[in-house]
Amino acid sequence: MKRLIPLLLTPLLAWAQSSSEYFPGESFNPALPSPEAVLGFGIGERHLRFDEQQRYLAALAGQSDRIKTINIGQTLEGRQQVLLAISSPKNLARLEAIRSQHLQVLEGKAQADLPSIVWLGYSVHGDEPSGANAAPLVAYWLAASDAQEVGAILDNTVVLMDPALNPDGLDRYANYANNMQGQHNSDSLSHRTRWQDFPAGRLSHYGFDLNRDWLLLTHPASQNRIRFWQQWLPAVFGDFHEMGPDSTFFMQPGVASRVNPLTPAQNQALTRQLAQSVAKGMDQQQRLYFTGESYDDFYWGKASSYGDALGAIGILYEQARARGMQVATPFGEMSFTFTIENQLTASKALLAGVLANKAALASYQGAFFKNALALADQDKTKGYVLKNPGDQARLDDLAALLSQHGIKVSKLGEDISLGGEQLQKGRDLFIDARQPQYRLLKSVFSRQTEFQDNTFYDVSAWNLGLAYNIEVLPVGGWSYSKALNGKPWQPAKAAPAPVTAHYAWAFDWADSRAPALLADVLRAGIKVFALPGEADNGQLHLKAGDMLIPAGAQQPAELVATLDRLSRRHGLAIQGMDSGFSQSGVSLGSRGLQRVTLPKVGLLVGRDINAQRAGGVWQSLDTKAGLAVTLLDDSVLPWLDLREFTHLIVPAAAPIALNPLQSQRLAQWVQQGGHLVLMTDAVAWGVHSGLLNAELVDDKARLASFSTDGQGYGDKGSHRAQTLIAGTQVLADLDPSHPLNYGLGSDTLALMRDHEVMLAKVAGEFTVPARYDAKPLLAGFMAPQNAKALAGTAAAVAQHFGQGTVVAFLDDVSFRGVQRGSERWLSNALYFNF
C-alpha cells in the first residue's frame, strides 16, 4: 500500500483547467465547443449548477450532428429533464425507426442488426456530483472526438444520456458547496460542505431518495423517466454514484449471493464482462477499484437493478466522494477533479465494453422476454385478482403504477369465488401472469421470507398489494385464468352526481380522496362532523368516521354550490339525505358527533432528523391530504412559539436536537392541549422523555437472543445482519372501533418495518389501536428472534397527556410515499379525537 500512495498523489491532486487535461493525447473537432469555452471555467474548478450543465449541453447539441436533445418532462421544482440521444448522424436520422425496430425485435416480431441502446444516468443523488460533472465531458468526447474508437461506438450504439437524474438535488448541493468554496480549500471531513441541512442535495423535493423511486414512482421526475424507458427498453444502463471518501471505485457485479433470484444468471455474466472493460480503463490510469465485495442487485426498485428487471444489464458505479473540492483519504489527497476523471473513464470504458459485447447483449435481451413467457407457463400461479377495497381511487392508483411499468391490467372478465372471496366482473381487476413483464410482476407481489443471504443493501420486501392495502389473490389454472381477462383497465372517469339541496350531506371517509376533500371543505368555512358509529337513515348507510355536513349547523352562504364545486374538483361524491332520523345506528344529530376542524400542523425537520421520513410525511400531507405543513427546524425549537400549532409531528428521533429542555417545552405544550405524533425511533425518545407512558423492549436482551456460538470473526457482518429489521413487511391487527382506524375498512393492516424499536408495555386502557400479529412476518426477511420479540406488541398507541394527546406509530406510515394503506393513520391522527 505504501508503494501505491506516491503513485496516486499526482492524479489525486490534479486540478483540471481545460478539457484537454481530461483527454491527454486525444484530438477533437475544433468547430465544437469545449465546456470551458461555453462556461468560462473548466470542469471541476467548481460544482456545476444544473442550468450551467444544461447550457453547455444545449450549446454542444446545437452545433453537433451527433446529438439530439429529448425533453421528457420536468421536476417538481420546474427544471426540465432533457436527455441526449448521441450516435452517428446516420443513426440519428433514423432514430425513431431504430427505436421501433428495437421494440419489435424484443417482441419477437422482427429480426434486425441494430445499434445497442445504452442509457447513461448520472448523479441520482444530487450531492454525489462527480457523475453530473463528468456528463458534459462524456458528451463532448462522443460529439467531438476524432478517435476511430469513438466513431465505431457511434456507428454501433445509441447512447441515451441522462446527465442529471436529480436536477433539483444537484442544484441544491452545487449552490451549497460553491458557497463554502475558497481559494484554499480544506480537506477535513468536518468541513461544512459535508454536513448539509434538510433535505440535503442527495434527495429530491420533499426529501425523497429518487434512487429508490424507480419502482414506486412517487415523483414526476421518476414517472417521466420510466415513461421514456418503456419507449426504449435499453440493453445496458450505467448508473453513476458516489460512496464514502475512505473507499476507491466500485463497479458491479456486487455480492453474488445477494442477486434477485428472478435475475437470469447470464445477466451477471455479462455484467462481469462489462466490468472487465472498465477495469482495463482503470488499470491504464493506475486507479484503485473493487468489485463483487459490496452492494447488491436484490431490490428491483433501485436504478441499476430496475434495469435487470426489464431485460437490461444494469450496472452500478460508485466513486469515492470528495464532497467539496478535496478530501484526505487513506490513499492520499483526493480532489474533485479526480472523482470526475474516474467517472469519465468508467463511462468511456463501459461504451467500449458494450461495443465489444454487442452480439451477446442483443442475444441476451432478445431472449429475456421470450424466456419470461416460458417461465410464466411453468408457474402454478397463472394470474392475480386485485380485489376492490371499496376505494376505487386507490385501486386505480395501483393499476396505474403497474401500467407505467408495462404490466398489462384488465377488468375482471367474470364473477368468481376465489379463496372465499366473492369477486365481481368489471369491478375487481385481473392481471395475467403470461406477459413480457412476468418477472417484475412476480416480484411486486412476492411474499418471499427465506433467502440465501440475509444481508440486504436495501429493503428485503416491496409487495405493492400490501403497501396499497389491497388484497391480491393468486389464480391457478391456465384455462381458468384466461377467462378472467376482461376489458383493458382504464381509470374511472365518471364524475360525481351534482350536489343539490338536502337536510344533510355525507362523504365516504374510506375513499383515499376524502382527506383532501375534507381539507378544502373546512377551508371554505363549512362545519363538518365525524360519525362516531354506523348509521342508516334509509337513504344512505354510513360508517364510523364518515363525514357529515348538516344544513342546519349554521353553515355559510352558497353552501350547496361550494359543496358541488369541491365534489367535482376531487371526484368524490357528496351524497345528500332528506332526514336525520336513523333507522339503525347513531342519529345524525347525535351528541356523539365529533366536530372536525382544520389542523395547524408543524413537522420537525433538520440535520438530526431522518430527512426521508420527514419528507414522506410532508409529501403525504401536502399532496394527498391537502394540508399545509409548517417545516420546523429542530435546531431552533427552543425559540419557537408552539401555541400556534394544533399538531406537531416528530417523524424520527433527534437525540442531539431534542435535549431535556426542549423535551420539557414539548411536554408543556401537549399538557396544555397540543397533539403530538411520534414515528419510528422517535417513539423511543418519547418513552425516555416521559411523553409516552410505555416501556421499551430491552434491546440488550433482544440482541442476546442471537447466539454467537460457533461463529468466527468473519461471521461478524452476517451476525449483525441477522439482528436487524432492514425493510420487512409485517402484519398488524386493528381495533376497527378506534378512531385511528376509521376508513381503513379492515381489521388488519400491512406495515413496513425498517428498524428495531419495540414497545414491551403500554399504560392505560384502550390506548393500543393496533398490535403486531402473533405471526407478524408477511414478506421479506426477519429473524425468528425478532419476529418473536415483535409479536403482540403495540404497532400504534394513542394516549392522553394532560389536556392533549400523544399518538405513536412504531413504523414509517408514509414509507417512500407508497404506504397507501397506513398513511391514512396520519389524517386520522390529525382530525379525530381519542
Side-chain angles (χ1 to χ4, degrees):
M1 184 62 69
K2 290 183 178 179
R3 289 189 296 117
L4 287 173
I5 291 178
L7 184 67
L8 287 168
L9 282 176
T10 300
L12 279 171
L13 287 171
W15 289 86
Q17 300 297 318
S18 67
S19 298
S20 61
E21 296 182 55
Y22 286 105
F23 303 102
E26 297 189 49
S27 62
F28 289 81
N29 182 349
L32 294 178
S34 65
E36 63 270 18
V38 174
L39 299 173
F41 59 89
I43 295 294
E45 289 185 38
R46 62 182 179 85
H47 290 260
L48 277 177
R49 299 194 312 267
F50 178 69
D51 66 288
E52 292 172 330
Q53 184 208 59
Q54 293 295 297
R55 178 157 57 91
Y56 170 68
L57 293 175
L60 181 64
Q63 298 183 51
S64 173
D65 58 1
R66 299 178 180 179
I67 302 178
K68 178 180 180 180
T69 59
I70 305 171
N71 192 324
I72 65 170
Q74 66 179 26
T75 69
L76 274 169
E77 295 179 6
R79 294 177 177 86
Q80 297 301 313
Q81 295 175 264
V82 179
L83 272 68
L84 306 180
I86 309 177
S87 193
S88 67
K90 180 179 179 180
N91 286 338
L92 289 184
R94 61 186 190 101
L95 189 63
E96 176 55 28
I98 290 174
R99 185 193 71 82
S100 178
Q101 291 172 22
H102 172 65
L103 296 182
Q104 289 177 10
V105 169
L106 297 185
E107 293 170 2
K109 298 178 180 178
Q111 291 184 340
D113 182 15
L114 298 168
S116 300
I117 312 300
V118 181
W119 189 316
L120 303 180
Y122 297 94
S123 300
V124 71
H125 297 135
D127 61 359
E128 298 177 359
S130 60
N133 281 262
L137 294 170
V138 178
Y140 177 59
W141 179 69
L142 290 170
S145 174
D146 295 330
Q148 184 176 357
E149 175 195 20
V150 173
I153 290 172
L154 295 173
D155 286 340
N156 292 277
T157 312
V158 171
V159 178
L160 301 174
M161 177 184 288
D162 201 336
L165 291 161
N166 181 3
D168 296 344
L170 179 69
D171 248 13
R172 195 179 304 121
Y173 182 71
N175 286 313
Y176 184 85
N178 288 335
N179 283 340
M180 308 294 163
Q181 183 176 337
Q183 294 184 24
H184 304 281
N185 292 294
S186 169
D187 65 0
S188 171
L189 288 174
S190 300
H191 194 275
R192 196 163 185 264
T193 53
R194 301 174 182 96
W195 298 91
Q196 302 169 66
D197 297 321
F198 175 85
R202 174 183 178 87
L203 307 175
S204 71
H205 193 82
Y206 291 117
F208 275 59
D209 186 337
L210 291 183
N211 192 43
R212 271 72 177 170
D213 199 42
W214 287 67
L215 175 63
L216 309 180
L217 303 185
T218 60
H219 270 46
S222 303
Q223 296 162 14
N224 297 336
R225 186 168 293 119
I226 295 306
R227 182 172 58 250
F228 189 76
W229 183 291
Q230 290 291 334
Q231 293 169 0
W232 275 93
L233 292 179
V236 176
F237 176 66
D239 183 25
F240 295 84
H241 287 249
E242 290 183 359
M243 55 185 167
D246 289 342
S247 193
T248 57
F249 187 90
F250 169 80
M251 64 191 85
Q252 281 182 323
V255 179
S257 59
R258 302 180 203 164
V259 178
N260 191 293
L262 293 170
T263 300
Q266 191 182 357
N267 172 288
Q268 295 296 288
L270 286 168
T271 300
R272 184 167 294 279
Q273 284 288 105
L274 295 175
Q276 289 174 357
S277 176
V278 175
K280 181 179 178 181
M282 292 291 182
D283 289 341
Q284 291 172 348
Q285 298 195 35
Q286 299 180 320
R287 301 294 168 91
L288 297 177
Y289 58 88
F290 65 100
T291 185
E293 299 175 18
S294 185
Y295 301 99
D296 65 41
D297 269 325
F298 185 73
Y299 172 47
W300 274 358
K302 300 199 306 290
S304 58
S305 52
Y306 179 81
D308 295 339
L310 276 83
I313 307 299
I315 308 178
L316 171 68
Y317 299 102
E318 294 271 358
Q319 164 62 45
R321 62 175 175 257
R323 281 279 176 93
M325 299 309 297
Q326 64 187 52
V327 65
T329 82
F331 311 101
E333 295 284 326
M334 181 171 64
S335 69
F336 183 37
T337 52
F338 177 83
T339 68
I340 295 171
E341 287 172 2
N342 276 355
Q343 301 283 31
L344 172 62
T345 297
S347 300
K348 293 166 64 177
L350 171 61
L351 293 175
V354 170
L355 178 62
N357 292 277
K358 179 184 174 184
L361 290 167
S363 175
Y364 169 78
Q365 193 179 28
F368 180 87
F369 296 106
K370 179 180 179 181
N371 292 341
L373 299 179
L375 289 173
D377 289 341
Q378 299 166 18
D379 198 326
K380 293 180 180 179
T381 298
K382 301 304 181 183
Y384 303 89
V385 174
L386 276 57
K387 184 182 178 184
N388 192 312
D391 178 1
Q392 184 65 50
R394 182 156 38 100
L395 183 65
D396 281 345
D397 286 348
L398 177 54
L401 174 58
L402 297 172
S403 297
Q404 287 177 83
H405 293 295
I407 295 174
K408 298 175 182 178
V409 183
S410 67
K411 295 281 188 178
L412 189 62
E414 60 182 37
D415 294 343
I416 60 168
S417 177
L418 188 65
E421 301 280 1
Q422 298 301 315
L423 303 166
Q424 184 178 329
K425 173 183 177 180
R427 177 181 183 273
D428 302 312
L429 302 181
F430 176 70
I431 305 175
D432 193 336
R434 196 178 194 277
Q435 54 179 295
Q437 304 298 3
Y438 161 80
R439 290 183 178 90
L440 185 60
L441 174 62
K442 190 78 174 175
S443 169
V444 299
F445 292 142
S446 171
R447 291 207 178 191
Q448 182 179 358
T449 58
E450 295 183 2
F451 305 88
Q452 177 186 355
D453 188 329
N454 295 328
T455 302
F456 300 94
Y457 181 70
D458 203 271
V459 295
S460 62
W462 53 92
N463 185 299
L464 294 179
L466 296 176
Y468 274 68
N469 197 27
I470 289 175
E471 192 170 4
V472 179
L473 302 169
V475 176
W478 189 251
S479 60
Y480 183 42
S481 67
K482 290 178 73 70
L484 301 181
N485 253 325
K487 296 180 179 179
W489 167 83
Q490 293 291 334
K493 297 180 180 180
V499 178
T500 56
H502 286 282
Y503 170 85
W505 302 264
F507 58 91
D508 184 3
W509 187 243
D511 195 295
S512 56
R513 296 165 292 188
L517 172 59
L518 175 62
D520 272 352
V521 168
L522 293 172
R523 273 190 285 265
I526 297 170
K527 294 181 178 64
V528 183
F529 300 84
L531 283 171
E534 293 191 15
D536 193 327
N537 72 344
Q539 287 180 289
L540 293 178
H541 180 84
L542 303 176
K543 306 177 299 299
D546 285 351
M547 296 297 163
L548 181 70
I549 305 169
Q554 297 184 356
Q555 301 287 7
E558 305 297 325
L559 171 64
V560 174
T562 301
L563 292 178
D564 184 59
R565 173 174 55 84
L566 295 178
S567 173
R568 285 184 282 107
R569 174 189 294 175
H570 293 277
L572 179 57
I574 299 178
Q575 297 176 289
M577 297 168 285
D578 296 321
S579 173
F581 187 85
S582 293
Q583 298 179 7
S584 63
V586 300
S587 298
L588 299 189
S590 169
R591 61 183 178 182
L593 291 176
Q594 187 179 127
R595 174 75 182 274
V596 179
T597 57
L598 193 68
K600 182 70 179 290
V601 183
L603 173 65
L604 220 60
V605 300
R607 189 172 294 149
D608 302 304
I609 291 181
N610 185 296
Q612 294 181 65
R613 298 208 195 281
V617 173
W618 180 22
Q619 191 248 17
S620 177
L621 294 179
D622 185 35
T623 67
K624 299 170 190 172
L627 290 173
V629 178
T630 302
L631 304 181
L632 306 174
D633 195 291
D634 56 8
S635 65
V636 298
L637 189 61
W639 300 278
L640 296 177
D641 184 355
L642 302 178
R643 291 175 295 179
E644 68 170 300
F645 301 103
T646 61
H647 295 75
L648 290 177
I649 302 174
V650 185
I656 298 175
L658 297 182
N659 57 44
L661 178 61
Q662 294 163 313
S663 301
Q664 184 178 356
R665 289 205 63 221
L666 279 176
Q668 184 181 25
W669 172 79
V670 178
Q671 286 175 329
Q672 294 173 351
H675 304 284
L676 183 66
V677 180
L678 306 173
M679 277 175 42
T680 62
D681 50 358
V683 174
W685 166 80
V687 173
H688 291 309
S689 62
L691 284 162
L692 192 65
N693 193 352
E695 293 181 18
L696 295 167
V697 166
D698 184 347
D699 204 49
K700 290 183 178 179
R702 181 186 68 84
L703 291 173
S705 68
F706 291 86
S707 174
T708 58
D709 291 347
Q711 296 184 350
Y713 183 81
D715 299 313
K716 185 178 179 180
S718 61
H719 174 79
R720 172 166 168 72
Q722 286 279 323
T723 69
L724 300 177
I725 305 175
T728 304
Q729 289 174 294
V730 296
L731 180 67
D733 300 321
L734 308 180
D735 173 2
S737 69
H738 196 286
L740 199 62
N741 297 321
Y742 285 171
L744 288 174
S746 173
D747 55 7
T748 61
L749 181 64
L751 300 167
M752 174 61 80
R753 169 153 278 261
D754 62 351
H755 66 106
E756 295 80 45
V757 173
M758 307 175 198
L759 292 177
K761 294 181 181 179
V762 177
E765 298 177 339
F766 310 114
T767 59
V768 181
R771 290 185 180 276
Y772 296 105
D773 191 73
K775 295 182 179 180
L777 179 59
L778 287 174
F781 171 73
M782 183 184 291
Q785 297 93 322
N786 283 331
K788 181 179 179 181
L790 188 65
T793 64
V797 178
Q799 288 181 338
H800 291 285
F801 190 94
Q803 299 179 47
T805 58
V806 177
V807 172
F809 299 127
L810 274 291
D811 296 305
D812 187 344
V813 298
S814 53
F815 182 81
R816 296 183 181 174
V818 77
Q819 281 294 124
R820 297 297 302 278
S822 60
E823 74 176 356
R824 174 51 64 92
W825 270 352
L826 283 174
S827 294
N828 289 356
L830 299 179
Y831 283 118
F832 296 126
N833 298 324
F834 310 116

